Amino acid sequence: MSETKQAGDRIEEILGSLRARGDEAAAEELVGVLVGLYGDGLSRIVSSLGPDTLLRLIEDPLVESLLLLHDLHPLDVDTRIQRALDRVRPYLGSHAGGVEYLGVNDGVAQLRLEGSCHGCPSSTVTVRLAITGAVREAAPEVTEVTVEGVTEPSPPLLQISRRIEEGGGWVTLPEMGPPSSRPVAASAAGLPVLVCAVRGTLYAYRDSCAACGSSMADGHLEREVLTCRCGSRFDVRAAGRDLDDAARHLEPLPLLADSQGVRVSVPAVV
């Protein structure tokens, strides 16, 4: 969880407490005054800095989020979205085709997938959430993100998607070091997660074998094939598809690797 989100959550807690005491108007006014005060100060600081300095500052996620909050970011919305997509393209390239940015119209960011999801249909959820998460983080003024070329998943998968969208959100994983030839087990908001690296690209799954239900932290990873101790084999690049039983697959989790570290999106109910 980012520092900005932690601070925002704490502010909401305080506001909720004040509202419960009947001081809602005072709470809203207090927040408005504080935000306006440091926003005006930040604006004066930004106006005295050169463009090169600002570009260096936005490499810090906390500073960038504050500049976005006060509409002081030095890059326009199109450039910010393109930068966000550049960060996720290496991951999307193995789950779908490329992704083309079509622009923002009436607050709606429009994108098109070049190619189609392959393997288990659950890759649809992974692709959509990875794209929308990156775009919304880079351009909070966008009210909606539409992605053309994504095939709708089956009803059970829609339930998974809804749980993720309404759930725990993006969770930063502990430092795992450079990509390894072995799967790495981690925990994200209490959810056991397995991270695999294939040709330099990271993939995340719920750490549970679709065949026997056990952890796959001791599994064997050879190229894109992850083999459980029970002998079941899964294609990491094809959304965890079971190579011996088409009806089974691992449960993929959307993953982003950027300046904030390696993050996965976890469902609300685990």
Side-chain angles (χ1 to χ4, degrees):
M1 181 182 294
S2 68
E3 295 175 72
T4 304
K5 187 175 188 308
Q6 288 179 321
D9 290 344
R10 179 56 183 151
I11 289 173
E12 286 299 323
E13 290 178 7
I14 296 173
L15 285 175
S17 176
L18 289 174
R19 293 188 188 107
R21 300 172 188 172
D23 295 331
E24 182 170 350
E28 298 292 347
E29 182 180 2
L30 173 62
V31 171
V33 171
L34 288 174
V35 171
L37 178 64
Y38 76 70
D40 289 343
L42 187 60
S43 177
R44 295 185 185 184
I45 293 173
V46 168
S47 65
S48 67
L49 300 176
D52 292 340
T53 301
L54 281 176
L55 290 177
R56 288 197 300 271
L57 285 174
I58 62 174
E59 294 304 316
D60 184 310
L62 175 59
V63 175
E64 182 174 35
S65 63
L66 289 174
L67 293 177
L68 285 171
L69 177 64
H70 294 282
D71 196 24
L72 297 170
H73 201 287
L75 302 179
D76 60 31
V77 64
D78 294 322
T79 304
R80 282 184 273 127
I81 291 177
Q82 290 284 16
R83 289 172 73 238
L85 294 176
D86 286 341
R87 295 188 185 113
V88 299
R89 273 193 179 96
Y91 174 66
L92 296 178
S94 55
H95 279 262
V99 55
E100 179 186 2
Y101 172 55
L102 304 177
V104 175
N105 294 303
D106 296 327
V108 179
Q110 299 174 324
L111 304 102
R112 178 189 299 123
L113 285 182
E114 301 164 344
S116 59
C117 300
H118 63 275
C120 169
S122 59
S123 60
T124 297
V125 177
T126 302
V127 169
R128 179 185 286 118
L129 289 182
I131 292 174
T132 57
V135 171
R136 285 175 173 163
E137 187 170 278
E141 65 267 44
V142 167
T143 58
E144 183 181 353
V145 180
T146 62
V147 184
E148 299 177 12
V150 175
T151 304
E152 288 298 324
S154 57
L157 207 55
L158 283 173
Q159 295 174 8
I160 295 174
S161 174
R162 190 175 302 114
R163 285 163 54 204
I164 294 176
E165 289 173 349
E166 296 175 353
W170 294 95
V171 178
T172 301
L173 297 179
E175 175 62 40
M176 295 179 292
S180 169
S181 59
R182 294 185 58 82
V184 177
S187 176
L191 176 72
V193 173
L194 195 72
V195 178
C196 301
V198 179
R199 299 181 181 90
T201 299
L202 298 179
Y203 302 84
Y205 292 90
R206 182 193 292 262
D207 186 12
S208 177
C209 176
C212 68
S214 64
S215 168
M216 299 189 69
D218 295 328
H220 177 66
L221 179 63
E222 183 173 357
R223 294 181 180 272
E224 67 272 14
V225 178
L226 177 62
T227 304
C228 179
R229 288 177 295 177
C230 71
S232 298
R233 301 179 305 142
F234 304 92
D235 189 331
V236 172
R237 297 183 71 246
R241 177 171 56 88
D242 191 318
L243 296 176
D244 304 304
D245 185 344
R248 293 191 305 222
H249 61 84
L250 301 177
E251 183 177 332
L253 298 172
L255 178 149
L256 289 176
D258 54 25
S259 60
Q260 297 186 44
V262 178
R263 295 172 291 155
V264 295
S265 182
V266 299
V269 181
V270 298

